[in-house]
Amino acid sequence: MKRLVFVVVVIAVAASLAYVGCRIMEPSDGLSDPGAVAKTVQLTFTGPRGMQVNWDVSEVGLYDSEALVVPGHKNFIHGGMYCIKLTHVPGRSKEEYFSRIEVGPMTGRTELFLRHNAIPIQFTTQDFDQIQSSDSVARAVYLLDPEYQLSEMAAIESLDITQSDPNDDQIREADRRGSILVIVRLSVTDFAETTKSLSYQRVWSHLR
């Protein structure tokens, strides 16, 4: 019986990409109607250990949640985009970093996997080093289609791409090889305060 495989792709992106439209997460996880029901997915922050993660509770850009100490997990709504702040990074305790998490919409190809699995989110030493000299780093996490699997065993693979990608070609490639679950961007710039030309909807609209 074949098991699902997911792959992590790391993409260094040019300054032309957009950072727009983050939403709050609590008390209703960003829903305008607190009584509404939305499908959520669990993201597990796996590293670096000891790093603290904060998100917006009362207003975008405040990062006023109780800190999540890594490793830890948090539920996100499908199709939402969230800004988070990263602090207490080992070896960089005085620095603040920012991430934007774009959760893909639920599809038939991802629903089965997400019923029983969390999506791992990990920031590496190389990620933090790289954003000192580039605008940001992006990571697309996706389910690998069966025809690209090398074995029946579930595995995590990674591919680092350092060239600029103004047309989202690498995101398209990830989508060609599987089903994107989430796109994570990391920067020294606060995503909640930055607005540029490319919308969140465009990123997903050209994917299958």
Side-chain angles (χ1 to χ4, degrees), residues 152-163:
E152 295 185 357
M153 298 298 294
I156 300 175
E157 300 178 9
S158 64
L159 174 64
D160 294 339
I161 305 169
T162 57
Q163 71 268 29

mmCIF file with all atom_site columns, all heavy atoms in Angstrom, residues 152-163:
data_model
loop_
_atom_site.group_PDB
_atom_site.id
_atom_site.type_symbol
_atom_site.label_atom_id
_atom_site.label_alt_id
_atom_site.label_comp_id
_atom_site.label_asym_id
_atom_site.label_entity_id
_atom_site.label_seq_id
_atom_site.pdbx_PDB_ins_code
_atom_site.Cartn_x
_atom_site.Cartn_y
_atom_site.Cartn_z
_atom_site.occupancy
_atom_site.B_iso_or_equiv
_atom_site.pdbx_formal_charge
_atom_site.auth_seq_id
_atom_site.auth_comp_id
_atom_site.auth_asym_id
_atom_site.auth_atom_id
_atom_site.pdbx_PDB_model_num
ATOM 1  N N   . GLU A 1 152 ? 7.952  3.419  -1.945  1.00 0.00 ? 152 GLU A N   1
ATOM 2  C CA  . GLU A 1 152 ? 6.645  3.427  -1.307  1.00 0.00 ? 152 GLU A CA  1
ATOM 3  C C   . GLU A 1 152 ? 6.704  3.999  0.100   1.00 0.00 ? 152 GLU A C   1
ATOM 4  O O   . GLU A 1 152 ? 5.673  4.207  0.728   1.00 0.00 ? 152 GLU A O   1
ATOM 5  C CB  . GLU A 1 152 ? 6.078  2.000  -1.270  1.00 0.00 ? 152 GLU A CB  1
ATOM 6  C CG  . GLU A 1 152 ? 5.782  1.433  -2.652  1.00 0.00 ? 152 GLU A CG  1
ATOM 7  C CD  . GLU A 1 152 ? 5.110  0.082  -2.572  1.00 0.00 ? 152 GLU A CD  1
ATOM 8  O OE1 . GLU A 1 152 ? 4.945  -0.420 -1.445  1.00 0.00 ? 152 GLU A OE1 1
ATOM 9  O OE2 . GLU A 1 152 ? 4.750  -0.459 -3.634  1.00 0.00 ? 152 GLU A OE2 1
ATOM 10 N N   . MET A 1 153 ? 7.890  4.258  0.601   1.00 0.00 ? 153 MET A N   1
ATOM 11 C CA  . MET A 1 153 ? 8.051  4.793  1.945   1.00 0.00 ? 153 MET A CA  1
ATOM 12 C C   . MET A 1 153 ? 7.902  6.320  1.920   1.00 0.00 ? 153 MET A C   1
ATOM 13 O O   . MET A 1 153 ? 8.426  6.994  1.041   1.00 0.00 ? 153 MET A O   1
ATOM 14 C CB  . MET A 1 153 ? 9.429  4.425  2.501   1.00 0.00 ? 153 MET A CB  1
ATOM 15 C CG  . MET A 1 153 ? 9.654  2.934  2.639   1.00 0.00 ? 153 MET A CG  1
ATOM 16 S SD  . MET A 1 153 ? 8.495  2.164  3.799   1.00 0.00 ? 153 MET A SD  1
ATOM 17 C CE  . MET A 1 153 ? 9.032  2.942  5.325   1.00 0.00 ? 153 MET A CE  1
ATOM 18 N N   . ALA A 1 154 ? 7.194  6.847  2.916   1.00 0.00 ? 154 ALA A N   1
ATOM 19 C CA  . ALA A 1 154 ? 7.068  8.297  3.034   1.00 0.00 ? 154 ALA A CA  1
ATOM 20 C C   . ALA A 1 154 ? 8.432  8.905  3.333   1.00 0.00 ? 154 ALA A C   1
ATOM 21 O O   . ALA A 1 154 ? 9.223  8.345  4.092   1.00 0.00 ? 154 ALA A O   1
ATOM 22 C CB  . ALA A 1 154 ? 6.082  8.655  4.136   1.00 0.00 ? 154 ALA A CB  1
ATOM 23 N N   . ALA A 1 155 ? 8.727  10.029 2.715   1.00 0.00 ? 155 ALA A N   1
ATOM 24 C CA  . ALA A 1 155 ? 10.029 10.663 2.898   1.00 0.00 ? 155 ALA A CA  1
ATOM 25 C C   . ALA A 1 155 ? 9.890  12.163 2.759   1.00 0.00 ? 155 ALA A C   1
ATOM 26 O O   . ALA A 1 155 ? 8.977  12.668 2.125   1.00 0.00 ? 155 ALA A O   1
ATOM 27 C CB  . ALA A 1 155 ? 11.026 10.131 1.874   1.00 0.00 ? 155 ALA A CB  1
ATOM 28 N N   . ILE A 1 156 ? 10.803 12.877 3.361   1.00 0.00 ? 156 ILE A N   1
ATOM 29 C CA  . ILE A 1 156 ? 10.884 14.324 3.222   1.00 0.00 ? 156 ILE A CA  1
ATOM 30 C C   . ILE A 1 156 ? 12.129 14.648 2.413   1.00 0.00 ? 156 ILE A C   1
ATOM 31 O O   . ILE A 1 156 ? 13.222 14.199 2.763   1.00 0.00 ? 156 ILE A O   1
ATOM 32 C CB  . ILE A 1 156 ? 10.962 15.024 4.588   1.00 0.00 ? 156 ILE A CB  1
ATOM 33 C CG1 . ILE A 1 156 ? 9.732  14.704 5.423   1.00 0.00 ? 156 ILE A CG1 1
ATOM 34 C CG2 . ILE A 1 156 ? 11.107 16.527 4.418   1.00 0.00 ? 156 ILE A CG2 1
ATOM 35 C CD1 . ILE A 1 156 ? 9.783  15.270 6.824   1.00 0.00 ? 156 ILE A CD1 1
ATOM 36 N N   . GLU A 1 157 ? 11.967 15.384 1.339   1.00 0.00 ? 157 GLU A N   1
ATOM 37 C CA  . GLU A 1 157 ? 13.092 15.811 0.515   1.00 0.00 ? 157 GLU A CA  1
ATOM 38 C C   . GLU A 1 157 ? 13.146 17.326 0.507   1.00 0.00 ? 157 GLU A C   1
ATOM 39 O O   . GLU A 1 157 ? 12.165 18.002 0.799   1.00 0.00 ? 157 GLU A O   1
ATOM 40 C CB  . GLU A 1 157 ? 12.941 15.290 -0.916  1.00 0.00 ? 157 GLU A CB  1
ATOM 41 C CG  . GLU A 1 157 ? 12.871 13.777 -1.007  1.00 0.00 ? 157 GLU A CG  1
ATOM 42 C CD  . GLU A 1 157 ? 12.663 13.296 -2.421  1.00 0.00 ? 157 GLU A CD  1
ATOM 43 O OE1 . GLU A 1 157 ? 12.752 14.133 -3.342  1.00 0.00 ? 157 GLU A OE1 1
ATOM 44 O OE2 . GLU A 1 157 ? 12.421 12.094 -2.600  1.00 0.00 ? 157 GLU A OE2 1
ATOM 45 N N   . SER A 1 158 ? 14.296 17.891 0.171   1.00 0.00 ? 158 SER A N   1
ATOM 46 C CA  . SER A 1 158 ? 14.424 19.342 0.081   1.00 0.00 ? 158 SER A CA  1
ATOM 47 C C   . SER A 1 158 ? 15.235 19.718 -1.150  1.00 0.00 ? 158 SER A C   1
ATOM 48 O O   . SER A 1 158 ? 16.115 18.961 -1.582  1.00 0.00 ? 158 SER A O   1
ATOM 49 C CB  . SER A 1 158 ? 15.088 19.912 1.338   1.00 0.00 ? 158 SER A CB  1
ATOM 50 O OG  . SER A 1 158 ? 16.414 19.442 1.454   1.00 0.00 ? 158 SER A OG  1
ATOM 51 N N   . LEU A 1 159 ? 14.898 20.866 -1.698  1.00 0.00 ? 159 LEU A N   1
ATOM 52 C CA  . LEU A 1 159 ? 15.598 21.391 -2.872  1.00 0.00 ? 159 LEU A CA  1
ATOM 53 C C   . LEU A 1 159 ? 15.770 22.887 -2.684  1.00 0.00 ? 159 LEU A C   1
ATOM 54 O O   . LEU A 1 159 ? 14.788 23.615 -2.574  1.00 0.00 ? 159 LEU A O   1
ATOM 55 C CB  . LEU A 1 159 ? 14.806 21.092 -4.146  1.00 0.00 ? 159 LEU A CB  1
ATOM 56 C CG  . LEU A 1 159 ? 15.336 21.698 -5.441  1.00 0.00 ? 159 LEU A CG  1
ATOM 57 C CD1 . LEU A 1 159 ? 16.708 21.117 -5.757  1.00 0.00 ? 159 LEU A CD1 1
ATOM 58 C CD2 . LEU A 1 159 ? 14.373 21.459 -6.588  1.00 0.00 ? 159 LEU A CD2 1
ATOM 59 N N   . ASP A 1 160 ? 17.016 23.328 -2.619  1.00 0.00 ? 160 ASP A N   1
ATOM 60 C CA  . ASP A 1 160 ? 17.304 24.749 -2.452  1.00 0.00 ? 160 ASP A CA  1
ATOM 61 C C   . ASP A 1 160 ? 17.522 25.388 -3.809  1.00 0.00 ? 160 ASP A C   1
ATOM 62 O O   . ASP A 1 160 ? 18.310 24.888 -4.608  1.00 0.00 ? 160 ASP A O   1
ATOM 63 C CB  . ASP A 1 160 ? 18.556 24.956 -1.600  1.00 0.00 ? 160 ASP A CB  1
ATOM 64 C CG  . ASP A 1 160 ? 18.364 24.489 -0.172  1.00 0.00 ? 160 ASP A CG  1
ATOM 65 O OD1 . ASP A 1 160 ? 17.195 24.386 0.245   1.00 0.00 ? 160 ASP A OD1 1
ATOM 66 O OD2 . ASP A 1 160 ? 19.361 24.223 0.513   1.00 0.00 ? 160 ASP A OD2 1
ATOM 67 N N   . ILE A 1 161 ? 16.818 26.492 -4.048  1.00 0.00 ? 161 ILE A N   1
ATOM 68 C CA  . ILE A 1 161 ? 16.928 27.218 -5.312  1.00 0.00 ? 161 ILE A CA  1
ATOM 69 C C   . ILE A 1 161 ? 17.280 28.660 -4.989  1.00 0.00 ? 161 ILE A C   1
ATOM 70 O O   . ILE A 1 161 ? 16.533 29.344 -4.298  1.00 0.00 ? 161 ILE A O   1
ATOM 71 C CB  . ILE A 1 161 ? 15.618 27.156 -6.106  1.00 0.00 ? 161 ILE A CB  1
ATOM 72 C CG1 . ILE A 1 161 ? 15.211 25.695 -6.299  1.00 0.00 ? 161 ILE A CG1 1
ATOM 73 C CG2 . ILE A 1 161 ? 15.731 27.863 -7.433  1.00 0.00 ? 161 ILE A CG2 1
ATOM 74 C CD1 . ILE A 1 161 ? 13.824 25.510 -6.840  1.00 0.00 ? 161 ILE A CD1 1
ATOM 75 N N   . THR A 1 162 ? 18.417 29.135 -5.486  1.00 0.00 ? 162 THR A N   1
ATOM 76 C CA  . THR A 1 162 ? 18.917 30.434 -5.073  1.00 0.00 ? 162 THR A CA  1
ATOM 77 C C   . THR A 1 162 ? 18.626 31.556 -6.057  1.00 0.00 ? 162 THR A C   1
ATOM 78 O O   . THR A 1 162 ? 18.779 32.720 -5.738  1.00 0.00 ? 162 THR A O   1
ATOM 79 C CB  . THR A 1 162 ? 20.436 30.376 -4.838  1.00 0.00 ? 162 THR A CB  1
ATOM 80 O OG1 . THR A 1 162 ? 21.070 29.927 -6.040  1.00 0.00 ? 162 THR A OG1 1
ATOM 81 C CG2 . THR A 1 162 ? 20.768 29.420 -3.716  1.00 0.00 ? 162 THR A CG2 1
ATOM 82 N N   . GLN A 1 163 ? 18.214 31.234 -7.285  1.00 0.00 ? 163 GLN A N   1
ATOM 83 C CA  . GLN A 1 163 ? 17.991 32.285 -8.251  1.00 0.00 ? 163 GLN A CA  1
ATOM 84 C C   . GLN A 1 163 ? 16.680 33.021 -7.991  1.00 0.00 ? 163 GLN A C   1
ATOM 85 O O   . GLN A 1 163 ? 15.774 32.489 -7.394  1.00 0.00 ? 163 GLN A O   1
ATOM 86 C CB  . GLN A 1 163 ? 17.996 31.748 -9.688  1.00 0.00 ? 163 GLN A CB  1
ATOM 87 C CG  . GLN A 1 163 ? 16.773 30.898 -10.040 1.00 0.00 ? 163 GLN A CG  1
ATOM 88 C CD  . GLN A 1 163 ? 17.021 29.433 -9.789  1.00 0.00 ? 163 GLN A CD  1
ATOM 89 O OE1 . GLN A 1 163 ? 17.799 29.084 -8.930  1.00 0.00 ? 163 GLN A OE1 1
ATOM 90 N NE2 . GLN A 1 163 ? 16.345 28.590 -10.542 1.00 0.00 ? 163 GLN A NE2 1
#
